[in-house]
Amino acid sequence: MKDSLRQRLETLNGRLQELDEWVSDPELPRQMDLYRKLTRERAEISPIVDLWQRFRQIEEDMATARQMAAEDPQLQAFAETEWSNGSERLEQLEGELQTALLPRDANDERNIFVEIRAGTGGDESALFAGDLFRMYTRFSERLGWRSEIISHSDGEMGGFKEIIFRIEGQGAYSRFKFESGGHRVQRVPATETQGRIHTSACTVAVMPEADELASIDLNPSDLRIDTFRASGAGGQHINKTDSAVRITHLPTGLVVECQDGRSQHKNKAQAMAVLAARLRDKQEREQHAREAATRRSLIGSGDRSERIRTYNFPQGRITDHRINVTMHKIEAMMDGDLHELTDILMTEHQADLLAGLADTST
């Protein structure tokens, strides 16, 4: 193990001892905010220190076995066995420690908003947007998560020109965050009479839901809120009241519409939540763009026009271009069987973070 990694772990060990002393102070619970902050930090550090202490104990046991063999040659075989077993366990623990030290994405456990927009390809692109929506919602169902449509604009022959929906589930962002980008489909459209393969595209944006609107700068003077009558099916109520809401964020020009709810109040709340998520996403993408020049990114630049995946129906395959992985089970995956692909993306991202940790430890 590198000295720099040992120093980090020893620092955490000392920090845990400090936290134990503070948390045991009977006066601390009276300062509830500080108490929550310190207990949360202790909960994050404690598992790492436990691993480090096990690592150190194995090192001590190996040193003891070697010393015993030096003093008594008859214990040589025992010492060699202890040393071999200990070395394997140390290697395993070092990997666990490196993973435990990886920087955590504060958004990973959040619920998400997903926006799918039809791109090049006309009606076929809108149909593909509908297929992607179904794929993501079926995947969410398999995970026991709940999905809810916020707003949508239907395609002329089916599917969606645009759809925004919310997925509620623990760890939703960690599973979906690599879906942002350009998705390309190659297939024979239902309207194609000569059997020619067409290429169409959609863009997907996945945004973590903000904890609360207060965490995003939403000055009322920066907002223009318009109400209007919802269009489409919905019965007499939806045709007679101005229940639909459009919110424009004047400084950025971002516009959010919501008309799927029956009440103006619900539509406004949903639109505000989507706007907050968009602003948060915009801020984070700008920050990532600034950082891109100084660090390597495995998953890509985050540019939504970037092609990240191709769905080739004639050949029955899906290819993720960021990690150069092709899977020949397109029907199952379009039906929501995305576990294997998202597992690979998460693993590759973790490997990239580990490589970055190794670079900063040299």
Side-chain angles (χ1 to χ4, degrees):
M1 180 181 289
K2 294 180 179 178
D3 290 341
S4 56
L5 187 57
R6 287 180 179 273
Q7 291 172 3
R8 289 185 62 185
L9 292 166
E10 281 298 330
T11 299
L12 288 178
N13 187 44
R15 177 60 177 170
L16 182 61
Q17 293 176 11
E18 293 178 354
L19 291 171
D20 284 340
E21 292 178 4
W22 287 338
V23 171
S24 63
D25 185 346
E27 298 296 320
L28 184 62
R30 296 181 181 180
Q31 305 177 57
M32 189 52 64
D33 290 341
L34 178 59
Y35 179 74
R36 289 197 188 100
K37 178 181 178 181
L38 295 179
T39 53
R40 188 183 303 117
E41 183 182 358
R42 187 186 183 284
E44 293 174 354
I45 292 177
S46 184
I48 302 174
V49 174
D50 287 344
L51 286 173
W52 174 234
Q53 290 176 346
R54 285 157 58 188
F55 187 96
R56 291 294 305 275
Q57 185 60 54
I58 292 174
E59 284 187 323
E60 292 177 9
D61 292 344
M62 292 170 63
T64 299
R66 174 169 288 182
Q67 182 178 355
M68 291 171 60
E71 296 174 353
D72 186 349
Q74 294 182 353
L75 296 176
Q76 184 67 38
F78 166 77
E80 290 178 356
T81 300
E82 284 290 305
W83 189 264
S84 176
N85 293 338
S87 297
E88 292 180 5
R89 185 64 183 132
L90 286 180
E91 183 177 354
Q92 179 183 348
L93 282 173
E94 183 172 353
E96 294 178 18
L97 282 165
Q98 289 179 336
T99 300
L101 287 170
L102 290 177
R104 300 184 184 278
D105 190 331
N107 295 322
D108 275 351
E109 298 304 312
R110 296 182 187 272
N111 302 324
I112 57 174
F113 290 105
V114 182
E115 298 182 0
I116 303 175
R117 289 187 172 86
T120 56
D123 292 333
E124 171 63 10
S125 179
L127 292 171
F128 181 47
D131 294 338
L132 291 177
F133 168 70
R134 180 178 182 274
M135 178 180 74
Y136 289 140
T137 53
R138 291 298 300 271
F139 182 45
S140 299
E141 290 172 5
R142 290 168 183 252
L143 292 167
W145 297 344
R146 189 172 71 90
S147 58
E148 174 188 15
I149 295 177
I150 303 300
S151 67
H152 65 90
S153 174
D154 296 336
E156 294 181 3
M157 298 187 64
F160 303 101
K161 295 178 182 177
E162 174 185 306
I163 183 167
I164 302 174
F165 57 103
R166 177 178 180 268
I167 295 177
E168 180 181 343
Q170 186 172 3
Y173 187 69
S174 68
R175 277 282 173 186
F176 276 85
K177 64 183 177 182
F178 303 122
E179 294 303 306
S180 292
H183 295 244
R184 184 178 68 173
V185 61
Q186 295 173 326
R187 63 184 176 188
V188 179
T191 56
E192 171 58 55
T193 59
Q194 299 183 26
R196 294 174 299 185
I197 297 174
H198 288 222
T199 298
S200 304
C202 290
T203 58
V204 175
V206 178
M207 301 170 294
E209 184 178 45
D211 274 341
E212 54 187 35
L213 298 182
S215 65
I216 300 296
D217 183 15
L218 284 177
N219 190 323
S221 64
D222 292 338
L223 304 178
R224 185 176 71 237
I225 301 177
D226 303 308
T227 58
F228 56 98
R229 293 187 182 183
S231 60
Q236 293 182 349
H237 169 84
I238 206 166
N239 292 323
K240 290 185 177 181
T241 63
D242 293 341
S243 60
V245 175
R246 179 188 299 111
I247 300 178
T248 304
H249 186 246
L250 300 175
T252 62
L254 290 175
V255 179
V256 177
E257 290 185 4
C258 188
Q259 58 177 300
D260 277 35
R262 288 180 60 85
S263 74
Q264 184 183 116
H265 177 75
K266 181 179 180 181
N267 283 330
K268 181 179 178 182
Q270 292 278 32
M272 290 288 280
V274 173
L275 178 60
R278 283 186 178 176
L279 286 170
R280 183 191 186 98
D281 178 63
K282 182 176 183 293
Q283 292 170 2
E284 292 186 352
R285 284 189 290 111
E286 289 174 350
Q287 180 180 347
H288 292 162
R290 290 192 295 268
E291 295 172 351
T294 59
R295 65 177 175 84
R296 181 173 63 92
S297 176
L298 173 75
I299 299 304
S301 67
D303 184 346
R304 291 176 185 167
S305 65
E306 177 182 321
R307 183 190 68 183
I308 65 169
R309 193 175 298 150
T310 295
Y311 304 71
N312 188 306
F313 278 82
Q315 297 181 17
R317 61 176 172 82
I318 291 180
T319 299
D320 196 290
H321 303 289
R322 297 162 297 180
I323 53 177
N324 196 28
V325 167
T326 297
M327 296 182 174
H328 294 272
K329 53 175 187 178
I330 193 168
E331 295 297 334
M333 295 177 73
M334 296 304 295
D335 194 42
D337 185 8
L338 293 177
H339 288 85
E340 184 178 358
L341 180 57
T342 56
D343 282 345
I344 293 174
L345 285 164
M346 293 169 72
T347 300
E348 290 291 335
H349 181 57
Q350 187 178 78
D352 189 58
L353 291 176
L354 282 170
L357 180 64
D359 290 341
T360 58
S361 298
T362 55

